[in-house]
């Protein structure tokens, strides 16, 4: 790797977390297929010399636009803006394809095109441009090079899903890479990174592209938007979409079994011999946890004891998963450092040794 100060360094692995224009992705020759932008938007915070006659959202042939003060109150369900203070502007540009950093002049011209005036906009504290381009890396790993975050997927910002998807990429990859580097696990463990995270990214691209399409201003799209609103007014579709867009409904395909398998472990309130604790506190050290809610001492994982925490606990609360609702109470489960469940079973331990080996390496010689 060539550094900007002229130095170079060699590493066993390289993870490109260098954004949508990722140099690492390009240098590794990883394809980035997808669709070019059809809309371009500016989002900014600035001051206006003239107060607009109306705040809020406007739709027209150019697209969707919005003006509002950064600070506001909600009174009786209505947004109430103060008379003064900085303004947040969202404006769709007439042209797609600008590549330079956006300027105050770009913002002013875009406002004039929509509102007939720029309201004397000045003193911006931020101006960003975003588009509805949607692209995803064909492979999240190529040999010793991996990519995560926007380097692996770019999509419209609808639903605020980009950052959390990227953070979950990193959390999925981090512990796997650590185990491979330490020699605990074979290199093939890294292939599960693409296998698990690529489908999640693909779903984010799909739902954000659909969201952009739903914003079009024609009669048929309006009818489709109303139909979608009706569907999302129903509990089941709404819960499913909320679980998908928040990432809480992510399900990795780890085979058949209890609904928890491949899903995110809920943050249970546990009782242990050492007192109460929250399950997530067991994950703070990024080490796997085998949780035994059955007879204490009944599980034996001695050959993995150096890598896996075995916790005997009681849990008497409900078992409910995002979008799925109530599920049967499991007796024992193996939770990966990223919080996903790799095995669910009982005290006879069927398949536990295999799951421990797949995810956390071969048993230590006894
Ligand atoms: C208008 C808008 C609103 C959004 N709202 C949300 C939201 O509400 N919720 C959400 O989850 N996401 C949101 N997102 C998406 C989110 O901002 C991105 O998904 C996220 O920032 C991606 O993080 P990243 O670290 O992968 O990439 P980036 O944030 O792009 O970071 C990449 C970093 O790499 C550095 N870099 C690049 N090349 C090099 C190089 N050659 N050498 C050294 N350094 C380099 C860059 O300087 C940068 O610091 C929004 C995006 C937009 C445009």
């Amino acid at each position: 790797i060539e550094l900007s100060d002229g130095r170079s360094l060699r590493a066993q692995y390289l993870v490109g977390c260098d954004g949508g224009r990722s140099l690492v992705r390009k240098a590794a020759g990883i394809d980035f297929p997808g669709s070019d932008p059809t809309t371009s938007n500016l989002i900014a915070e600035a001051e206006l010399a003239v107060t607009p006659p109306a705040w809020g959202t406007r739709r027209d042939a150019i697209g969707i636009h919005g003006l509002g003060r950064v600070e506001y109150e909600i009174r009786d369900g209505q947004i109430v803006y103060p008379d003064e203070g900085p303004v947040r502007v969202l404006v769709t540009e007439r042209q797609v394809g600008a590549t330079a950093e956006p300027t105050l002049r770009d913002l002013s011209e875009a406002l004039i095109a929509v509102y007939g005036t720029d309201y004397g906009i000045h003193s911006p504290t931020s101006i960003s441009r975003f588009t509805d381009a949607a692209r995803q890396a064909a492979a999240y790993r190529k040999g010793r090079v991996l990519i995560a975050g926007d380097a692996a997927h770019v999509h419209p910002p609808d639903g605020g899903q980009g950052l959390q998807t990227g953070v979950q990429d990193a959390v999925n990859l981090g512990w796997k890479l650590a185990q491979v580097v330490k020699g605990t696990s074979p290199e093939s463990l890294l292939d599960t990174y693409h296998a698990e995270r690529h489908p999640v990214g693909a779903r984010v691209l799909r739902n954000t592209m659909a969201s952009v399409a739903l914003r079009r201003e024609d009669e048929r799209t309006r009818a489709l938007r109303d139909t979608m609103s009706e569907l999302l007014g129903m509990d089941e579709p709404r819960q499913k979409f909320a679980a998908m867009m928040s990432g809480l409904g992510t399900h990795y395909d780890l085979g058949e079994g209890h609904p928890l398998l491949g899903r995110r472990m809920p943050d249970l309130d546990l009782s242990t011999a050492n007192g109460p604790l929250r399950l997530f506190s067991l994950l703070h050290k990024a080490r796997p946890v085998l949780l035994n809610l059955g007879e204490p001492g009944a599980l034996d994982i001695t050959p993995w004891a150096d890598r896996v925490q075995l916790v005997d606990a009681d849990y008497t609360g409900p078992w409910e998963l995002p979008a799925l609702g109530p599920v049967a109470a499991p007796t024992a489960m193996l939770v990966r450092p990223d919080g996903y469940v790799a095995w669910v079973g009982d005290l006879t331990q069927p398949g536990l040794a295999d799951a421990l080996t797949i995810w956390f390496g071969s048993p230590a010689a006894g």
Side-chain angles (χ1 to χ4, degrees):
I1 305 161
E2 301 289 334
L3 302 182
S4 53
D5 64 5
R7 285 181 300 145
S8 63
L9 56 87
R10 286 188 69 79
Q12 203 177 337
Y13 288 95
L14 171 65
V15 185
C17 304
D18 50 347
R21 297 193 178 94
S22 174
L23 185 64
V24 172
R25 184 190 67 232
K26 290 175 191 159
I30 296 174
D31 284 345
F32 201 43
S35 47
D36 288 331
T38 63
T39 65
S40 177
N41 306 266
L42 296 175
I43 188 165
E45 283 186 21
E47 304 279 344
L48 298 186
V50 179
T51 301
W55 299 109
T57 306
R58 174 188 286 209
R59 293 170 187 272
D60 61 18
I62 301 176
I64 189 165
H65 325 281
L67 290 173
R69 295 233 188 259
V70 174
E71 305 281 343
Y72 57 85
E73 279 179 45
I74 295 184
R75 278 189 228 141
D76 299 330
Q78 299 291 321
I79 298 177
V80 181
Y81 292 107
D83 292 337
E84 294 184 343
V87 170
R88 187 168 290 135
V89 178
L90 170 73
V91 61
T92 306
E93 296 181 287
R94 268 193 299 193
Q95 307 284 341
V96 176
T99 49
E101 283 298 306
T103 62
L104 181 59
R105 188 167 168 184
D106 295 336
L107 190 58
S108 164
E109 285 175 2
L111 282 170
I112 291 168
V114 173
Y115 294 92
T117 167
D118 68 0
Y119 299 112
I121 194 160
H122 63 97
S123 312
T125 51
S126 70
I127 309 177
S128 315
R129 177 176 279 122
F130 68 92
T131 74
D132 64 343
R135 294 185 172 275
Q136 187 178 24
Y140 282 19
R141 173 183 176 211
K142 189 166 176 190
R144 296 188 294 138
V145 177
L146 299 116
I147 47 176
D150 277 19
H153 39 74
V154 294
H155 49 79
D158 297 56
Q161 302 172 77
L163 195 148
Q164 57 101 341
T165 306
V167 169
Q168 287 201 49
D169 291 343
V171 173
N172 185 288
L173 176 60
W175 63 276
K176 295 174 181 173
L177 194 53
Q179 287 183 188
V180 171
V181 168
K182 281 162 74 179
T184 319
S185 293
E187 230 195 333
S188 56
L189 183 66
L190 295 179
D191 292 329
T192 67
Y193 169 58
H194 173 99
E196 293 179 353
R197 295 305 301 168
H198 191 275
V200 175
R203 263 201 309 280
V204 174
L205 258 72
R206 193 184 65 177
N207 80 53
T208 52
M209 288 168 81
S211 178
V212 169
L214 282 172
R215 277 205 299 275
R216 287 191 195 128
E217 272 308 307
D218 60 83
E219 282 298 315
R220 288 175 178 80
T221 308
R222 266 200 287 275
L224 181 60
R225 200 156 56 224
D226 290 346
T227 308
M228 278 298 288
S229 299
E230 217 170 295
L231 282 172
L232 293 179
M234 299 174 195
D235 284 346
E236 199 177 322
R238 188 177 59 250
Q239 284 163 6
K240 194 171 161 111
F241 270 75
M244 176 178 65
M245 292 174 75
S246 64
L248 294 175
T250 298
H251 179 213
Y252 300 139
D253 182 7
L254 304 187
E256 296 288 307
H258 189 281
L260 253 186
L261 189 63
R263 288 198 163 84
R264 191 167 176 269
M265 184 70 190
D267 190 12
L268 309 177
D269 278 312
L270 302 172
S271 316
T272 71
N274 298 324
L277 61 81
R278 295 288 288 260
L279 184 120
F280 282 6
S281 67
L282 293 168
L283 297 173
H284 289 171
K285 291 188 189 132
R287 286 185 57 206
V289 178
L290 179 61
L291 180 65
N292 173 22
L293 300 177
E295 188 191 330
L299 289 176
D300 179 14
I301 53 159
T302 307
W304 289 272
D306 57 334
R307 282 157 272 169
V308 181
Q309 314 168 67
L310 173 56
V311 177
D312 291 328
D314 276 332
Y315 174 69
T316 51
W319 278 95
E320 206 167 318
L321 298 181
L324 288 186
V327 297
T331 307
M333 62 234 78
L334 179 63
V335 186
R336 308 190 318 193
D338 59 357
Y340 284 79
V341 177
W343 173 85
V344 183
D346 55 34
L347 304 186
T348 60
Q349 304 191 189
L352 178 58
D354 286 347
L356 285 163
T357 306
I358 289 169
W359 297 110
F360 309 117
S362 304

